Amino acid sequence: MNKALVLMNMGGARNKAELELFLRNMFNDENILTINNKFMRNMIASFITLSRINSAWENYEAIGGKSPINDISDQLQKKLQDKLPETFVTQAMRYTPPLTQKAIRQIQEQKIKEIVLLPLYPQYSTTTTKSSLDEFLNNCPEKFNCTIVDPFYKNQTFNQCIINEIKSKHKKDTHLIFSAHGLPQKIVDNGDPYAQQVQEHVRILSSMLEQQSIDFDSVHLAYQSKVGPMKWLDPSLDSKLENFKDKNVLIYPISFIIDNSETDFELDIEYREIAQELGIKEYNVCKCVNDSDAFVDTIMELIS
């Protein structure tokens, strides 16, 4: 093998110990907790982790005690390896195993110099794409020749994967909400392009739905996962849902490629309970593109 393909994502916990590792690593990430002082950041990360671990683990228990992201990522890796026999396909998760350092060691053992880095985030953010790329590039040997796949939210093949999933869940008299992971407003104000790219992505998908005569009563964008007192991107998903009493709502997780705790628990359980309390008639959540054959074809196109 003379080339490596590295699938990059945040990772997810398989047990409570890995959940603690995930939280500790995430809040120690300078792209997440933007505090320059490492000692202070580590102190705050430890405090947040210890204060959240038990309640966060209860959420994981509600979805079977582990994040689905690991099994699905393994399946995606296997499908790509079968399609690319001359390429070494591996994963570099940001916060839980298999971590970036392991991927680098594997590539070194294979004596591979040419590497394609594929961040599995459709839109660019300093908190996701930059964080994953920095972790790899800051730790890889200089002899590596790395090619980075750009954000792919404009890719037609990828977007058709999304449209197909939405179409499979489409019902008459339904309102569609694209739910994106939220960000603190100050990160966007500091130049992060994520919000602008998410908005553009919604416009692209809305146009495709119209062209393919997949009609919804309305189409919206909202943001999930707000924590803490600071201002986050809005509208929040819970406030958006308040508009749809006695209506049908379909959610598509637009900022996620692979299902994880934020789709399987947060969207499908937590927000479903909110929807029921608000009197929403029918609330459904789409699956991510995951390891679908259509998304495998998308990756083949992106790296060609």
Side-chain angles (χ1 to χ4, degrees):
M1 296 182 180
N2 55 14
K3 183 183 289 188
L5 170 62
V6 182
L7 307 176
M8 316 184 88
N9 213 327
M10 295 181 74
R14 300 171 182 83
N15 49 57
K16 191 173 183 180
E18 281 197 355
L19 178 57
E20 182 175 351
L21 178 67
F22 182 96
L23 293 171
R24 197 174 294 277
N25 283 343
M26 180 173 68
F27 290 112
N28 262 302
D29 184 346
E30 61 185 4
N31 293 288
I32 300 292
L33 203 59
T34 54
I35 299 172
N36 291 329
N37 187 299
K38 290 183 179 181
F39 176 78
M40 183 63 67
R41 188 168 64 247
N42 182 60
M43 291 285 290
I44 295 174
S46 296
F47 173 78
I48 295 173
T49 298
L50 293 174
S51 65
R52 291 189 183 182
I53 182 65
N54 290 329
S55 60
W57 179 242
E58 289 179 2
N59 299 346
Y60 270 77
E61 288 182 317
I63 57 172
K66 64 178 182 178
S67 170
I69 195 172
N70 299 296
D71 289 343
I72 297 171
S73 297
D74 290 346
Q75 293 162 12
L76 178 61
Q77 178 185 351
K78 184 179 184 306
K79 286 185 176 183
L80 286 165
Q81 189 63 80
D82 290 344
K83 287 262 191 179
L84 299 163
E86 299 303 316
T87 298
F88 176 66
V89 184
T90 189
Q91 301 175 49
M93 295 294 187
R94 184 66 181 89
Y95 303 128
T96 57
L99 294 167
T100 299
Q101 288 80 359
K102 180 179 179 180
I104 291 172
R105 287 197 304 271
Q106 289 175 326
I107 294 167
Q108 287 177 307
E109 289 167 0
Q110 296 281 336
K111 298 184 175 6
I112 294 171
K113 304 289 179 64
E114 298 295 322
I115 303 170
V116 177
L117 301 178
L118 174 57
L120 291 176
Y121 316 107
Q123 309 92 15
Y124 182 96
S125 174
T126 56
T127 62
T128 53
T129 315
K130 180 180 182 296
S131 178
S132 287
L133 290 172
D134 283 353
E135 179 71 2
F136 193 96
L137 296 173
N138 290 338
N139 286 281
C140 73
E142 291 183 3
K143 61 185 179 182
F144 283 2
N145 182 20
C146 296
T147 300
I148 299 169
V149 178
D150 292 331
F152 47 88
Y153 67 94
K154 296 181 183 179
N155 181 274
Q156 183 77 13
T157 306
F158 168 63
N159 285 327
Q160 190 59 51
C161 296
I162 296 175
I163 296 298
N164 291 344
E165 171 63 12
I166 292 173
K167 185 177 180 180
S168 75
K169 299 286 197 306
H170 175 259
K171 291 183 179 180
K172 187 179 179 181
D173 301 325
T174 297
H175 300 265
L176 175 63
I177 302 177
F178 289 104
S179 182
H181 194 287
L183 275 187
Q185 184 64 48
K186 70 173 186 177
I187 291 179
V188 176
D189 292 343
N190 286 336
D192 192 301
Y194 171 76
Q196 180 271 325
Q197 291 187 5
V198 168
Q199 291 163 11
E200 186 177 6
H201 197 187
V202 169
R203 289 194 292 270
I204 291 169
L205 292 169
S206 298
S207 177
M208 291 179 69
L209 288 167
E210 184 177 351
Q211 291 166 9
Q212 297 179 35
S213 300
I214 306 170
D215 298 322
F216 287 91
D217 286 6
S218 62
V219 178
H220 305 268
L221 167 64
Y223 296 93
Q224 64 187 88
S225 308
K226 179 184 185 299
V227 292
M230 69 180 67
K231 179 174 173 53
W232 283 55
L233 291 171
D234 53 27
S236 65
L237 180 55
D238 47 355
S239 67
K240 180 62 69 174
L241 289 172
E242 292 174 0
N243 300 314
F244 300 110
K245 182 179 180 180
D246 298 324
K247 307 292 185 182
N248 300 322
V249 171
L250 179 63
I251 305 290
Y252 187 85
I254 191 170
S255 58
F256 298 104
I257 291 296
I258 295 177
D259 282 310
N260 56 80
S261 62
E262 285 162 311
T263 59
D264 281 20
F265 175 77
E266 192 171 344
L267 286 181
D268 212 11
I269 296 178
E270 194 170 41
Y271 281 104
R272 183 181 300 280
E273 292 175 355
I274 292 172
Q276 291 170 345
E277 291 169 1
L278 291 170
I280 289 173
K281 186 189 297 183
E282 189 170 338
Y283 174 92
N284 287 306
V285 179
C286 291
K287 303 300 288 183
C288 295
V289 296
N290 289 324
D291 65 323
S292 64
D293 291 342
F295 185 56
V296 171
D297 290 342
T298 299
I299 293 177
M300 298 292 289
E301 183 179 319
L302 291 172
I303 66 175
S304 64

